[in-house]
Amino acid sequence: MRFSITKRLTLYFLLMGLITIAIIGSYSYIKARSALMQRTFDQLTSLRFEKKTRIEDFFRERKNDLISLSSMEDSKKMAQLLTENQDSAIQKLAEKYMIPYLQAGNFYTQAFIYSKNQATFLMQLDSIPAVCSLVHHKKLLKAISGMVEESGISIYELYDDQHHENQGFLISRHIPGTKDAWLILNISTAAINSIMFENNPHNGLGKSGESYLVGDDLLMRSTSRFQDNAAFNTKVDTKGVREALEKKSAQSLFTDYRGIDVLSSYSPVDIPGLNWVILAEIDKQEAMVPVYTVRSSILFLSLIVALLVFGLVALLSSIIASPIKKLRTATESVAGGNYGHVLPIESNDEIADLIAAFNHMTSELKEKSERLEEERQLRLSSMIDGQEMERQRLSREIHDSLGQSVLAIKLKTEQYFRQNTDISDDAVQEIRRLFSEALNEIRAISRNLMPAVLSEFGIAEAISNLAADTMKISGIEIDFSDKEYRATAGQKTENYLYRICQEALNNAIRHSEASSIRIILKSTKDHIFLSIKDNGIGFQKEQEEQIRGNGLNHIKERAELLGGRCTIEAPPNKGCFIEIIVPIEKIA
């Protein structure tokens, strides 16, 4: 399939444009995606830090509440009354100050005063009015009995099997001023959830963002936006939880407890007694919505730019290819023989240089064509003139020699018939002699036109005879050698080589002023070589054009017609050397 240069240029430029657009678009998308992910991570980290600070402050404040309450005189009195099993008196003291204090912030669900005699006074704070009673909380008592600190504050996590929920307790080892009494506050999970969970799409976490707490047992400690009753029921075994439990703070992209890819920021929580971690996360798909919007915008803009680039490329390709098309048309015109075609130069670039070179070429072709036509006319004229001169020469020779001989025979015969009735033997002999002379004249003329020895004995013998005859006529010493000639040439080749040798000898006799001529005929496996060298004056400047026009061009033409080549060297006063090389395989 053939593609024009316009199509190729359009395709190349369009591909370069599309590749550039793709690179820029991809780079812009990657940078925007990276920037958005970093911004999202920064927001998650900021939220995680804020939640972490608040939950740590929350437990710190609950400790302060515990310290304040355990230090009250009413707490001491209530502990003493507990050992005496005075339930109503304890309840009056609790309702007077402690219960209103604890209910004010909605941070607690229960409060306990525990005595070593395993009597426990319960204040149920999440009901109105508060319910107070003496209870025996076996699991709580077991937990308290496991504490080792004598006076410090401990945080203990207890799972309520009855209500299937986790209960976090702040435990005072003992109430100051008492021997064996403890104040225990049960922290409300709702209070923790109020810190960790915000179901607000305008909080920077969108529709899928959340922050939550996880314990060292990989169970969630706060509620989940996506799962009900998640605290202590939902297992979170993710990369973020595992690294945070190893005391690492970082941000990463991984699959969360729901099996969904999320962007997450995580770290451990600094609450003595609790090995918790905090995570702030948002679904990757939601976080990447702005990037997808940017990607769609980039694709749309890329399409618009690609269309514009295509139009511009098509226009530029047409402009670039236009002079090339003109060159092709002009070249076809030149191939058709219109050598005078000249293109205008409309730019200053490589194409302009090409057009200038084309115009120069056409001018040169036109000049050479005109010169060739002149030479052809001259050669045709020379050929015709040569033929005419040859006819005139033959006419003169026949008229001067053969005509005179025949005329003499005629006159002699008529004379004998007029004078004598009987023809004598002398008259017959005379007539015979005249006929013999006429026959010799005919043979000489025939031999000059086509030597019989050439067709009978070959080129070597013919050139040898030509050299001998020329030496007799001119007096120039001519040496001919054919010792290395072993080829068998065709009739055409022998005729042409003979005429070349004849023309060279004629030129040497007429112009060289030579005293000796050396002719060598030899052959190889592939070629025949004929060389003629004289010791004459060579080509003088004033004679060179005339000599070349008269005979040397004919020699070259005959050599070329045989498929060979001709070398002519004739420096002034150094003789003339002519060498003809003819390939044997082209011999007819």
Side-chain angles (χ1 to χ4, degrees):
M1 184 177 181
R2 182 177 181 272
F3 284 94
S4 66
I5 190 169
T6 303
K7 291 181 180 178
R8 288 204 303 272
L9 287 173
T10 301
L11 179 60
Y12 296 156
F13 286 150
L14 184 60
L15 285 176
M16 286 190 293
L18 292 178
I19 290 173
T20 302
I21 293 171
I23 292 173
I24 294 174
S26 300
Y27 177 78
S28 301
Y29 172 74
I30 292 172
K31 293 295 290 184
R33 181 177 181 274
S34 176
L36 180 63
M37 290 185 66
Q38 187 59 49
R39 187 185 71 179
T40 304
F41 278 129
D42 292 343
Q43 289 178 339
L44 292 172
T45 300
S46 177
L47 178 66
R48 183 254 299 167
F49 182 79
E50 186 263 339
K51 297 291 184 180
K52 177 178 179 291
T53 302
R54 286 179 61 185
I55 201 70
E56 291 173 351
D57 291 344
F58 174 80
F59 277 94
R60 192 176 299 111
E61 290 171 359
R62 302 294 75 76
K63 287 183 179 182
N64 292 335
D65 287 345
L66 182 60
I67 292 171
S68 298
L69 290 171
S70 63
S71 300
M72 291 174 55
E73 288 297 326
D74 289 347
S75 298
K76 297 178 184 179
K77 292 179 180 180
M78 292 171 67
Q80 292 173 356
L81 293 172
L82 181 63
T83 59
E84 299 171 359
N85 292 324
Q86 298 184 27
D87 185 25
S88 58
I90 295 174
Q91 184 172 349
K92 288 180 180 179
L93 286 175
E95 291 176 348
K96 179 181 178 182
Y97 180 76
M98 184 175 290
I99 291 176
Y101 180 86
L102 292 175
Q103 283 184 326
N106 293 323
F107 300 133
Y108 309 100
T109 59
Q110 297 171 329
F112 300 86
I113 293 179
Y114 169 73
S115 175
K116 191 174 182 180
N117 60 6
Q118 296 188 349
T120 303
F121 179 73
L122 168 65
M123 292 167 277
Q124 191 70 35
L125 302 174
D126 54 359
S127 63
I128 300 176
V131 177
C132 301
S133 63
L134 288 171
V135 297
H136 294 278
H137 201 301
K138 294 182 179 180
K139 187 172 289 189
L140 178 61
L141 295 178
K142 182 179 179 181
I144 293 173
S145 65
M147 296 297 171
V148 295
E149 296 184 13
E150 292 295 330
S151 60
I153 297 174
S154 299
I155 302 175
Y156 180 76
E157 288 186 282
L158 183 66
Y159 185 69
D160 187 347
D161 295 324
Q162 182 178 359
H163 297 91
H164 299 288
E165 64 180 11
N166 182 53
Q167 298 180 2
F169 294 93
L170 288 177
I171 304 172
S172 174
R173 186 57 176 163
H174 79 283
I175 297 174
T178 64
K179 292 183 178 180
D180 298 299
W182 288 264
L183 175 63
I184 303 169
L185 300 179
N186 182 198
I187 298 174
S188 171
T189 56
I192 296 176
N193 289 335
S194 67
I195 296 173
M196 298 305 300
F197 179 66
E198 294 182 72
N199 191 12
N200 181 6
H202 302 293
N203 62 358
L205 289 178
K207 297 179 180 180
S208 63
E210 63 174 344
S211 59
Y212 56 90
L213 297 167
V214 179
D216 55 3
D217 56 359
L218 302 181
L219 293 178
M220 195 176 287
R221 292 299 192 267
S222 60
T223 190
S224 167
R225 170 177 278 188
F226 306 102
Q227 295 182 8
D228 297 332
N229 300 320
F232 241 79
N233 290 316
T234 301
K235 186 174 183 180
V236 186
D237 186 8
T238 63
K239 173 185 176 183
V241 171
R242 290 193 299 272
E243 291 189 357
L245 288 173
E246 294 174 359
K247 307 304 180 183
K248 295 179 181 179
S249 297
Q251 54 195 25
S252 182
L253 172 65
F254 53 80
T255 303
D256 72 349
Y257 62 93
R258 297 168 296 147
I260 296 175
D261 291 339
V262 295
L263 279 69
S264 177
S265 178
Y266 48 87
S267 72
V269 179
D270 185 15
I271 302 175
L274 297 178
N275 190 14
W276 286 2
V277 298
I278 185 172
L279 299 94
E281 298 175 345
I282 187 172
D283 289 1
K284 175 186 174 184
Q285 185 174 5
E286 182 180 4
M288 294 294 105
V289 167
V291 173
Y292 299 148
T293 303
V294 170
R295 181 180 64 185
S296 299
S297 300
I298 290 174
L299 289 175
F300 178 73
L301 290 175
S302 298
L303 179 60
I304 298 299
V305 172
L307 292 175
L308 294 175
V309 168
F310 178 77
L312 181 60
V313 163
L315 178 61
L316 291 176
S317 300
S318 178
I319 293 174
I320 294 174
S322 177
I324 299 177
K325 291 180 178 178
K326 291 179 180 178
L327 271 175
R328 184 190 66 183
T329 303
T331 302
E332 292 174 352
S333 177
V334 170
N338 183 15
Y339 301 120
H341 202 112
V342 177
L343 292 175
I345 299 176
E346 299 175 350
S347 60
N348 187 20
D349 52 17
E350 288 80 0
I351 294 180
D353 296 339
L354 181 61
I355 293 174
F358 173 81
N359 291 339
H360 178 71
M361 179 193 71
T362 56
S363 299
E364 290 291 324
L365 286 174
K366 184 178 181 181
E367 292 178 4
K368 290 182 178 179
S369 176
E370 292 174 351
R371 287 199 300 269
L372 287 173
E373 181 62 22
E374 291 177 358
E375 290 181 4
R376 190 184 71 83
Q377 295 292 337
L378 181 59
R379 290 178 183 177
L380 182 59
S381 177
S382 298
M383 181 187 69
I384 295 173
D385 292 344
Q387 291 175 348
E388 188 62 30
M389 292 174 63
E390 186 66 16
R391 291 190 184 100
Q392 292 176 3
R393 186 183 67 80
L394 289 175
S395 176
R396 287 194 301 271
E397 287 187 5
I398 292 172
H399 179 273
D400 294 341
S401 59
L402 182 58
Q404 294 298 324
S405 298
V406 173
L407 179 60
I409 294 172
K410 177 179 179 296
L411 293 176
K412 277 290 185 182
T413 304
E414 290 177 351
Q415 179 183 358
Y416 286 129
F417 278 110
R418 282 197 306 268
Q419 294 177 358
N420 301 296
T421 303
D422 298 323
I423 299 176
S424 64
D425 291 336
D426 292 336
V428 172
Q429 292 299 324
E430 181 66 18
I431 292 173
R432 285 179 177 175
R433 183 185 63 79
L434 291 175
F435 270 112
S436 295
E437 291 178 358
L439 182 60
N440 289 335
E441 289 291 337
I442 291 173
R443 287 175 177 172
I445 294 172
S446 174
R447 184 171 61 251
N448 198 31
L449 292 175
M450 176 55 68
V453 68
L454 181 62
S455 58
E456 293 177 6
F457 300 102
I459 184 64
E461 189 67 25
I463 293 177
S464 178
N465 290 345
L466 176 63
D469 292 342
T470 303
M471 185 167 57
K472 290 180 182 179
I473 295 171
S474 63
I476 299 174
E477 182 180 351
I478 300 176
D479 179 29
F480 172 66
S481 172
D482 61 344
K483 294 179 181 180
E484 299 181 27
Y485 182 71
R486 299 291 184 274
T488 301
Q491 186 64 47
K492 179 180 178 180
T493 300
E494 291 189 345
N495 289 341
Y496 276 41
L497 291 176
Y498 180 82
R499 294 304 179 192
I500 288 171
C501 188
Q502 191 178 43
E503 187 70 40
L505 291 176
N506 288 336
N507 282 336
I509 293 171
R510 295 171 58 189
H511 305 289
S512 70
E513 302 180 12
S515 61
S516 66
I517 299 174
R518 172 73 171 172
I519 303 174
I520 298 176
L521 178 67
K522 63 181 181 179
S523 64
T524 62
K525 180 180 179 181
D526 300 318
H527 295 87
I528 296 175
F529 297 82
L530 173 64
S531 63
I532 302 100
K533 179 174 176 58
D534 64 51
N535 63 349
I537 61 174
F539 290 170
Q540 305 301 316
K541 289 185 179 180
E542 60 274 8
Q543 294 179 307
E544 183 173 356
E545 184 176 350
Q546 179 183 0
I547 296 172
R548 287 188 180 274
N550 287 342
L552 297 184
N553 286 336
H554 296 164
I555 293 175
K556 283 188 174 183
E557 288 173 356
R558 285 190 172 94
E560 290 172 358
L561 288 173
L562 292 176
R565 66 178 183 270
C566 173
T567 301
I568 300 175
E569 297 176 359
N573 300 317
K574 292 186 179 181
C576 178
F577 173 74
I578 299 174
E579 183 180 50
I580 308 298
I581 302 176
V582 178
I584 292 178
E585 62 268 17
K586 292 189 178 181
I587 295 175

